[in-house]
């Protein structure tokens, strides 16, 4: 019986309390007093750009790095005192490929199973869906695999010991839309098996695929909640506007005093007014027409996670 | 006037084979001067190989292409002098200061001292890097590095700049500031050839091509592509085209 099975109630949960981590003799703050809790069986996303502190947090939780201040626990074990126990029960897929390049696909998987005192056969049901996709290449050296296949093998290796918590550090970075969708389908199947999953991503559109998310930027959590609740927290009414000349429209909207913020968003510009006023839209349409724009369209839209992230980010940097 | 000279890029049946493997399979397209051209494709579709040929770094197996009017077989050095290149992975020299990086790349691109001085002053002001000019690039936040890397890639006013996933991992505000720089460069007549995995950025391009298994499967404006595939977003267009890809993703 694996160790975690005896400990009972906290299995699969992750707690982070006032974690702070600095580098370069304190001059670079990677994590700044971060606290949150992930429940057992949850699919939890850390959403933020490079340098937000996502990888540092994962390394602390997987006991590979110690924090300057604060505490953290996985499965009820402390990441410092009980690091050996945690290492036995968690699965970790780092951002950089970390398998043995000169072992074959099958040898890598076998190696990781052996390392954790299990066999491929014992937990094959966990990796079956994913492993079947790379099985035709099981005799190929890992170093010779394509990026997508390496990613699948790394996931199998992180799963083969039936971890209670799976840490995935930017598994979809640099991956195309099709492979990203496939990857999220795999994650949801793993969740159904009861594994707690912490996944980080710089892609805001992936946030909605998690049950709860933390928006993280320069070591601080901007917001933490369900994706729906985070979007509902967007404070203004949001509008989408477009004309036949978007770059010029963006400059003109920025110059308009009634507009609080505006930025490009796909085929539209998103904008929020300084004050909610029923005359806003008609006034702005007239303004754009006077500036010589054609094809003017302004309509209310539902904010996305990215809108909320931008909103929170700009509030952090410009306190007004 | 020769039409080839009016186009930034002209490609006819451009092909690259590695043994039996056809990495780029008879691709044909033209890019106008000053256009923002999005070059999309699934991982492993052949984008990087195609870009390497267009940048004069790799000889095609067959087909023709001219970049800034120069032939990709015979005038690779002229191509290299006429283009700028920036990628997410290509970083500036981290242990040189901002100013030293600008001077180094300006020198590599053959700018005269007088010109380089004027340009670097303008660049530092535009980017608001006055305070950081003498700091090591390694100490700057990623977003600033990316903006600086782009500015350095166009410091010699190239005919075309190739951007390979320039905004990967950058926060959403900086990502948009980066596109402001792209529009500004396009406004100065620099042709932009850009790859990205952010489908909202595909919308910022004048036209996009989507590569699947070595071939250009679609090429049009974002609006026309969405119309043709009856899709709400470029994400959906891309998905419809690329999900049938036979090549393993890499």
């Amino acid at each position: 019986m694996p160790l975690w099975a005896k400990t009972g109630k906290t299995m699969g949960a992750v707690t982070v309390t006032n974690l702070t981590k600095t580098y370069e003799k304190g001059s670079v703050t990677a994590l700044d007093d971060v606290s949150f809790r992930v429940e057992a069986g949850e699919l939890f996303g850390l959403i933020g750009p490079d340098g937000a502190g996502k990888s540092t947090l994962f390394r602390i939780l997987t006991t590979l790095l110690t924090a300057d201040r604060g505490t953290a626990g996985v499965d009820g074990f402390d990441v410092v005192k009980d690091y050996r126990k945690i290492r036995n029960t968690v699965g970790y897929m780092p951002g950089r490929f970390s398998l043995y390049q000169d072992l074959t696909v099958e040898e890598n998987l076998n190696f990781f199973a052996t390392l954790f005192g299990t066999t491929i056969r014992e937990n094959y049901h966990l990796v079956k869906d994913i492993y079947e996709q790379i099985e035709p290449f099981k005799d190929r050296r890992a170093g010779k695999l394509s990026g997508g296949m390496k990613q699948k093998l790394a996931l199998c290796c992180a799963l083969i010991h039936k971890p209670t918590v799976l840490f995935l550090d930017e598994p979809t970075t640099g991956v195309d839309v099709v492979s990203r969708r496939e990857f999220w389908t795999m994650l949801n199947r793993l969740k159904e098996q009861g594994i707690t999953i912490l996944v980080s991503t710089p892609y805001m559109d992936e946030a909605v695929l998690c049950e709860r998310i933390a928006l993280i930027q320069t070591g601080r959590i901007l917001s933490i909640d369900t994706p729906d609740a985070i979007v509902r927290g967007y404070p203004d009414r949001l509008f989408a506007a477009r004309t036949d000349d978007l770059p010029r429209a963006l400059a003109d909207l920025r110059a308009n005093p009634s507009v609080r913020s505006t930025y490009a968003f796909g085929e539209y510009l998103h904008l929020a007014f300084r004050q909610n006023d029923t005359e806003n839209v008609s006034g702005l349409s007239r303004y754009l027409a006077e500036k010589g724009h054609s094809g003017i369209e302004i309509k209310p839209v539902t904010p996305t996670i990215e809108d909320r992230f931008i909103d929170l980010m700009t509030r952090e940097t410009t306190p007004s | 006037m020769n039409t080839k000279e009016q186009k930034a890029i002209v490609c006819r049946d451009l092909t690259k084979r590695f043994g039996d493997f056809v990495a780029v399979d008879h691709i044909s397209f033209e890019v106008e001067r000053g256009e923002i051209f999005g070059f999309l494709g699934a991982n492993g579709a052949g984008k990087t190989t195609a870009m390497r040929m267009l940048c004069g770094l790799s000889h095609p197996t067959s087909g023709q292409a001219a970049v800034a009017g120069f032939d990709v077989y015979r005038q690779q050095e002229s191509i290299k002098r006429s283009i700028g290149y920036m990628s997410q992975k290509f970083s500036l020299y981290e242990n040189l200061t901002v100013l030293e990086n600008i001077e180094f790349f300006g020198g590599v691109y053959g700018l005269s001292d007088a010109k380089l001085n004027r340009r670097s002053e303008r660049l530092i002001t535009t980017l608001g890097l006055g305070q950081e000019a003498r700091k090591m690039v390694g100490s700057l936040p990623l977003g600033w590095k990316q903006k600086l890397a782009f500015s350095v890639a166009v410091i010699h006013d190239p005919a075309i700049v190739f951007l390979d996933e320039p905004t990967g991992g950058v926060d959403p505000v900086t990502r948009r500031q980066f596109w402001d720089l792209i529009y500004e460069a396009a406004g100065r007549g620099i042709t932009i050839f850009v790859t990205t995995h952010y489908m909202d950025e595909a919308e910022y391009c004048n036209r996009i091509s989507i590569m699947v298994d070595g071939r250009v499967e679609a090429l049009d404006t974002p609006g026309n592509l969405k119309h043709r595939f009856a899709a709400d977003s470029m994400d959906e267009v891309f998905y419809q085209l690329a999900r049938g890809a036979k090549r393993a993703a890499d």
Side-chain angles (χ1 to χ4, degrees), chain A residues 27-317:
Chain A
S27 63
V28 179
T29 305
L31 289 176
D32 186 4
D33 198 27
V34 168
S35 300
F36 64 90
R37 183 183 162 84
V38 178
E39 303 302 331
E42 213 175 359
L43 175 50
F44 187 90
L46 279 164
I47 319 291
D50 286 3
K54 307 186 299 288
S55 300
T56 298
L57 184 59
F58 277 7
R59 286 186 196 131
I60 292 173
L61 290 172
T62 50
T63 79
L64 301 173
L65 195 67
T66 54
D68 298 355
R69 284 188 299 281
T71 55
V74 177
D75 288 338
F77 296 118
D78 182 87
V79 291
V80 179
K81 288 204 302 285
D82 309 316
Y83 74 93
R84 285 169 190 274
K85 289 173 184 153
I86 291 177
R87 286 183 188 180
N88 280 327
T89 62
V90 302
Y92 174 44
M93 186 172 147
R96 289 215 184 124
F97 183 62
S98 61
L99 302 175
Y100 292 91
Q101 310 266 354
D102 49 357
L103 293 186
T104 66
V105 167
E106 195 174 28
E107 284 166 347
N108 263 292
L109 190 58
N110 206 13
F111 174 82
F112 280 90
T114 310
L115 203 60
F116 286 100
T118 183
T119 59
I120 296 179
R121 189 177 302 156
E122 191 173 341
N123 291 320
Y124 189 69
H125 64 283
L126 272 179
V127 299
K128 182 173 175 287
D129 281 350
I130 310 158
Y131 191 68
E132 277 174 355
Q133 299 173 45
I134 50 174
E135 208 172 7
F137 312 98
K138 68 180 164 58
D139 296 324
R140 191 179 288 187
R141 287 183 185 194
K144 298 280 180 198
L145 293 176
S146 71
M149 287 196 283
K150 278 180 183 171
Q151 183 200 43
K152 284 173 184 151
L153 176 59
L155 184 59
C156 288
C157 290
L159 276 171
I160 196 63
H161 61 297
K162 196 172 199 265
T164 53
V165 185
L166 185 60
F167 294 93
L168 304 169
D169 196 3
E170 298 206 13
T172 55
T173 292
V175 173
D176 68 60
V177 171
V178 178
S179 308
R180 280 168 57 192
R181 284 200 197 181
E182 276 177 14
F183 196 83
W184 279 91
T185 310
M186 288 191 277
L187 285 195
N188 275 301
R189 285 205 208 108
L190 289 173
K191 187 195 134 47
E192 285 162 19
Q193 307 253 15
I195 297 174
T196 309
I197 302 171
L198 268 78
V199 56
S200 69
T201 176
Y203 296 109
M204 304 280 152
D205 57 343
E206 293 184 344
V208 292
L209 303 167
C210 303
E211 286 170 283
R212 278 196 315 138
I213 53 172
L215 301 184
I216 180 166
Q217 162 86 355
T218 55
R220 298 179 57 196
I221 289 184
L222 301 174
S223 183
I224 184 163
D225 214 323
T226 63
D228 272 355
I230 283 185
V231 164
R232 278 200 305 275
Y234 187 84
D236 298 310
R237 289 178 63 195
L238 187 70
F239 292 85
R242 76 171 157 190
T243 74
D244 293 332
D245 185 352
L246 275 191
R248 198 161 65 81
L250 185 61
D252 287 337
L253 288 176
R254 278 179 185 156
N256 185 296
S258 75
V259 175
R260 183 178 69 78
S261 84
T262 183
Y263 44 85
F265 205 98
E267 62 182 317
Y268 286 90
L269 306 173
H270 278 187
L271 69 97
F273 293 99
R274 282 189 199 282
Q275 281 162 352
N276 287 329
D277 185 333
T278 47
E279 298 298 303
N280 274 340
V281 171
S282 52
L284 202 62
S285 291
R286 274 199 305 280
Y287 167 80
L288 287 171
E290 280 162 19
K291 292 277 179 188
H293 284 279
S294 55
I296 301 167
E297 180 189 352
I298 305 175
K299 61 178 187 184
V301 281
T302 311
T304 64
I305 295 284
E306 187 152 353
D307 290 301
R308 182 60 172 145
F309 196 99
I310 291 171
D311 175 60
L312 287 164
M313 249 187 92
T314 38
R315 263 165 227 279
E316 285 261 309
T317 47

Side-chain angles (χ1 to χ4, degrees), chain B residues 74 81 130 133 139 155 172 185 214:
Chain B
R74 292 176 290 109
R81 274 193 291 274
S139 69
I155 196 165

Side-chain angles (χ1 to χ4, degrees), chain B residues 47-214:
Chain B
K47 296 193 300 288
T48 305
T49 307
M51 261 176 110
R52 285 178 55 80
M53 288 191 280
L54 295 176
C55 290
L57 297 171
S58 159
H59 263 287
T61 309
S62 62
Q64 290 118 43
V67 176
F70 297 112
D71 183 81
V72 291
Y73 292 92
R74 292 176 290 109
Q75 297 171 298
Q76 291 191 323
E77 290 314 307
S78 303
I79 289 176
K80 287 177 201 164
R81 274 193 291 274
S82 314
I83 63 171
Y85 176 82
M86 180 217 158
S87 85
Q88 186 196 354
K89 282 164 201 133
F90 169 73
S91 49
L92 303 160
Y93 290 92
E94 302 249 313
N95 50 1
L96 292 185
T97 66
V98 169
L99 213 49
E100 286 166 345
N101 266 288
I102 297 173
E103 282 165 6
F104 175 80
F105 284 100
V108 167
Y109 287 130
L111 293 189
S112 68
D113 285 355
K115 211 171 194 177
L116 187 52
N117 279 339
R118 280 200 308 276
R119 294 268 164 99
S120 68
E121 220 165 274
R122 192 182 71 193
L123 200 156
I124 283 171
T125 318
T126 326
L127 292 177
L129 284 171
Q131 301 280 323
E132 283 76 18
R134 293 181 194 287
K135 281 192 188 156
M136 298 291 176
V137 159
S139 69
L140 297 182
L142 176 76
W144 289 20
K145 278 186 216 167
Q146 303 286 80
K147 283 187 269 183
L148 180 61
F150 175 77
S151 305
V152 165
V154 296
I155 196 165
H156 55 307
D157 279 333
I160 304 157
V161 63
F162 289 86
L163 307 172
D164 195 0
E165 289 183 42
T167 57
V170 173
D171 73 67
V173 174
T174 311
R175 213 148 65 74
R176 285 167 173 82
Q177 291 167 350
F178 194 91
W179 275 88
D180 287 348
L181 291 179
I182 291 181
Y183 274 115
E184 191 261 334
R188 280 193 281 138
I190 297 176
T191 305
I192 313 284
F193 191 93
V194 59
T195 74
T196 180
H197 282 303
Y198 291 100
M199 287 301 130
D200 62 327
E201 293 186 346
E203 299 273 7
Y204 308 152
C205 301
N206 300 123
R207 284 188 308 148
I208 16 189
S209 70
I210 299 179
M211 272 187 89
V212 181
D213 290 342

